[in-house]
Amino acid sequence: MILQLRGVEHAYARTVALRGVSLEVESEEVVAITGPSGCGKSTLLHVAAGILRPQAGAVQLLGQDLTTADETLRARLRRRNVGVVLQFGQLVPDLPAIENVALPLLLEGHDRTQSFTAARAWLSRAGVEGVADTFASELSGGEAQRVAVARALVTGPAIVFADEPTGSLDSTGGEQLLELLLDAARERRAAVVLVTHDNVVASRADREVRLRDGRVETTAVLR
């Protein structure tokens, strides 16, 4: 079991986002988190990835208790073993695309030349090698999303969290990017947890977990 959430609760001021959510994800499993807007999908992904600390409940990721780990440890875990693709890319705007992709490797002290070589290779796989030297602030939404996926995969993570990874792309581009994400995960034998409102994207998962009003409404095994 690569990820375990037990009775997770989280709220923003008076808005309750998660109400006692429990979830397990196995190695190599692809899990789609679905549900209507405002049901807690993105909050669940942020908690599972260690970006948010839940207000109640327990989160175990890769054997690490994220509810007790400090931010330094959680950030190190994400850099080394976790890939994260957030909505709208969330790139560093004043860095070119290739530096954004290489950044997780550079922060871990990897050789600069090798890091940039790996970054360029992933940009090529994502179909955006041509924007390698373009500042992130100048990328289109679709380009930024492809660069974000390349950044999430460059470290060879054990698990990838993706929040609406195809949301900024047309149907063809979205299918290509989803294929890249799933192929890379299979190569690495990594798990994937993706938030989506797209039924076509959800259908590519092994299991669909549907949220409503901050709770797990249904769980369906798809394959």
Side-chain angles (χ1 to χ4, degrees):
M1 201 64 62
I2 198 168
L3 172 67
Q4 293 178 305
L5 285 78
R6 291 283 182 269
V8 168
E9 299 180 6
H10 197 77
Y12 305 96
R14 297 182 179 180
T15 302
V16 179
L18 299 176
R19 305 171 186 266
V21 172
S22 295
L23 174 69
E24 293 185 346
V25 178
E26 297 181 358
S27 298
E28 303 182 54
E29 186 178 21
V30 179
V31 177
I33 309 297
T34 65
S37 297
C39 70
K41 299 188 300 295
S42 293
T43 300
L44 176 60
L45 183 140
H46 287 194
V47 167
I51 297 169
L52 278 178
R53 191 192 303 273
Q55 292 161 341
V59 181
Q60 288 269 345
L61 178 61
L62 296 166
Q64 179 65 54
D65 184 354
L66 296 187
T67 50
T68 59
D70 62 23
E71 176 53 35
T72 299
L73 192 153
R74 287 184 286 140
R76 186 182 304 125
L77 182 69
R78 287 195 300 274
R79 286 199 306 268
R80 293 178 177 177
N81 300 303
V82 177
V84 181
V85 184
L86 299 178
Q87 289 191 60
F88 314 115
Q90 297 293 313
L91 303 173
V92 181
D94 55 351
L95 291 181
I98 193 166
E99 288 192 42
N100 267 281
V101 177
L103 192 58
L105 298 173
L106 296 172
L107 290 173
E108 283 299 302
H110 290 266
D111 176 79
R112 185 174 179 84
T113 299
Q114 292 178 356
S115 296
F116 274 70
T117 298
R120 193 173 296 279
W122 277 106
L123 285 172
S124 179
R125 285 192 67 174
V128 283
E129 185 178 10
V131 304
D133 298 320
T134 303
F135 286 101
S137 59
E138 300 172 356
L139 298 174
S140 70
E143 289 169 341
Q145 200 70 350
R146 289 173 180 272
V147 172
V149 169
R151 181 181 62 183
L153 296 172
V154 73
T155 59
I159 184 169
V160 178
F161 295 95
D163 194 351
E164 300 286 5
T166 64
S168 300
L169 301 165
D170 60 26
S171 58
T172 300
E175 175 62 26
Q176 292 172 346
L177 195 64
L178 181 62
E179 200 64 42
L180 168 66
L181 182 60
L182 297 181
D183 282 349
R186 283 191 289 266
E187 290 171 11
R188 182 69 180 178
R189 304 181 69 179
V192 178
V193 178
L194 57 91
V195 163
T196 184
H197 68 279
D198 188 328
N199 291 333
V200 174
V201 173
S203 71
R204 299 293 302 279
D206 300 313
R207 183 159 51 99
E208 179 181 359
V209 177
R210 184 171 180 82
L211 300 186
R212 181 174 292 276
D213 298 329
R215 296 186 175 90
V216 175
E217 182 181 44
T218 60
T219 299
V221 177
L222 305 181
R223 57 176 47 83

